[in-house]
Amino acid sequence: MGSPSPADGGPMERLARESGGLDVNSRYAYLLWCRDFAATSVVARAGDRLAGFITGYRRPAAPDTLFVWQVAVGPDFRRRGLASRMLGHLAGTVRADQGVRFVEATVTPDNKASMHLFESFAKANGADLTRDVLFSEHELGSGHEPEVLHRIGPLARPIGKRGGPLPAVPRGDRS
């Protein structure tokens, strides 16, 4: 696990598209993200394959807060704790290197996997979790569900689940 580079932009865009649940940004946006926000993002690789990524940034108005923008895990790596390990790795890194004390993310009400990820992260780190609608469906338009802000913190102790080996790719799925 480590920070992304611009070479990861294309694979990140493909993985976001394959996820089926993310708002997919342009490839250009992912390339810029990997250049400008590498220190607040993480990629996980299995050999030369991108297994997953998290994009995030420190909020300009609240530099002690990491906002998690997107979490994506490739189909071959789901249900193995990879998202949790990436979040733990990223939060631990930005806490140690940049003084981050809070993690925020927005989640739509139908995204049970993301809700579970952030609830588990808060519990594992002994941190409070609050929820409040950040943007309503009226503000988002086009039948978009509300984006509920999940705010975790303060992070008072070392972050759990930093890194760790990636789960093996099932034998029949090696491509």
Side-chain angles (χ1 to χ4, degrees):
M1 251 173 263
S3 297
S5 72
D8 294 310
M12 289 169 67
E13 185 259 346
R14 281 191 299 278
L15 191 57
R17 190 170 310 288
E18 290 172 1
S19 77
L22 293 176
D23 291 334
V24 180
N25 300 297
S26 70
R27 182 168 293 200
Y28 179 65
Y30 288 102
L31 291 167
L32 284 175
W33 201 284
C34 292
R35 184 191 77 162
D36 294 341
F37 298 106
T40 53
S41 299
V42 65
V43 292
R45 294 180 183 84
D48 60 350
R49 292 177 60 195
L50 184 67
F53 71 84
I54 295 178
T55 54
Y57 62 89
R58 286 175 56 205
R59 290 193 46 222
D64 67 342
T65 301
L66 171 70
F67 185 87
V68 173
W69 177 258
Q70 288 188 318
V71 178
V73 175
D76 294 343
F77 300 96
R78 292 185 184 149
R79 298 193 170 297
R80 298 179 189 181
L82 181 57
S84 179
R85 288 197 316 274
M86 287 190 303
L87 183 58
H89 177 86
L90 178 59
T93 299
V94 296
R95 175 153 171 60
D97 298 348
Q98 301 175 38
V100 166
R101 298 179 52 238
F102 296 90
V103 173
E104 291 183 346
T106 60
V107 180
T108 56
D110 69 339
N111 191 337
K112 305 299 183 204
S114 288
M115 283 190 272
H116 178 73
L117 171 66
F118 294 111
E119 290 166 0
S120 297
F121 177 80
K123 184 177 180 181
N125 290 286
D128 293 332
L129 169 63
T130 59
R131 295 177 194 86
D132 193 22
V133 173
L134 181 63
F135 297 115
S136 70
E137 54 268 300
H138 174 74
E139 292 168 300
L140 294 164
S142 301
H144 195 294
E145 287 192 284
E147 291 284 350
V148 178
L149 180 68
H150 289 60
R151 182 168 169 84
I152 301 166
L155 301 172
R157 63 182 193 210
I159 305 298
K161 295 189 178 182
R162 281 189 78 179
L166 291 180
V169 178
R171 291 194 186 277
D173 292 342
R174 296 180 196 265
S175 49

